[in-house]
Amino acid sequence: PERVSRRSFRTWPPALLALRRSGPLRGILSRATMAPMYVVLVANGPFEDIPQNRLREAAAEASALIGVDGGTHALQQLDLKPTHVTGDFDSLTLTEREALAEQGVAIVPTPDQEYTDLDKAVMFAFDTLGATSAHIYGATGGRLDHLYSVLSVLIKHGRVRDIRLIDTVGETFYIQGSIELIGTDLPGRTLSLLALGPVDGITTTGVQWPLNGESLAPGVRDGTLNKVIAETVTIACTAGDLLVLLHHSS
């Protein structure tokens, strides 16, 4: 397997011992090992869907901690100070923003209504701050239309960037090409493939119900709630937008 630095290694499930990936992200991951910048974003989803201990650990390691509009309130509840807050600020008052600015927090207005606050925050993290990887907390749960827009953001940016969602259930990331996960804590964990549209040529190993060059599509065939049975899992697809949800270990 390719050598992976600790920071680019940190962009995948923390207990994994190695990672090997091909496809469009391969070169990006290689560049990330040269000059990594790990960023954590906290969106305005239900507070109870945020894994608080994981967020605290992530915030301690991050180069930047970004409150996405009302997601700043979650950081404040956890006594975590953001480095930046951004959004159209329909959930963060002027008084709150002024107080944050007095504490040295950078205030980054993004009023463009053509994009969601999370989409704009991800663009800010990568294009302005120079992030090489990002973890997003507080983006799942709550309204279905909000969740749909979050998954759309994950697909849009996951095609070309190293990004994942983290909630109390697990970690969700985009796959294009192939990925290999290796870890002693993998057996027994739940792994779901989420096809947001037709996905072809899916091959998996190391799971209870493997696929061999098969297809998934909404309303046709699902690939959720599989069980990991080995310390090495491989997932590959040839076409389509495929998300992987790897549940946390117990």
Side-chain angles (χ1 to χ4, degrees), residues 21 34 44-45 52 62 80 85-86 88-89 92 122-123 137 152 156 160 163 183 213 218 228-229 234 236 249:
R21 188 168 190 158
M34 297 172 59
N44 194 24
Q52 297 180 22
L80 295 173
V85 297
T86 184
D88 59 14
F89 297 137
L92 203 63
V122 171
M123 289 188 280
Y137 291 78
S152 180
K156 172 183 176 180
V160 294
I163 184 172
V228 178
I229 59 173
T234 63
S249 56

Side-chain angles (χ1 to χ4, degrees), residues 175 177-178 193 198-204 211-216 221 235-240 242:
I175 178 173
S178 65
L193 303 180
V199 180
D200 299 322
I202 304 173
T203 299
T204 58
L211 300 176
N212 184 16
E214 300 173 54
S215 298
L216 298 175
R221 186 186 184 190
I235 307 167
C237 67
T238 59
L242 183 64

Side-chain angles (χ1 to χ4, degrees), residues 42-52 54-55 74 136-143 147 165-170 248:
V42 180
N44 194 24
F47 185 74
E48 60 270 18
D49 290 320
I50 297 175
Q52 297 180 22
R54 293 179 187 274
L55 175 53
I136 301 173
Y137 291 78
T140 61
R143 286 169 41 180
L147 178 58
L165 306 177
I166 302 175
D167 58 19
T168 54
V169 174
H248 297 308

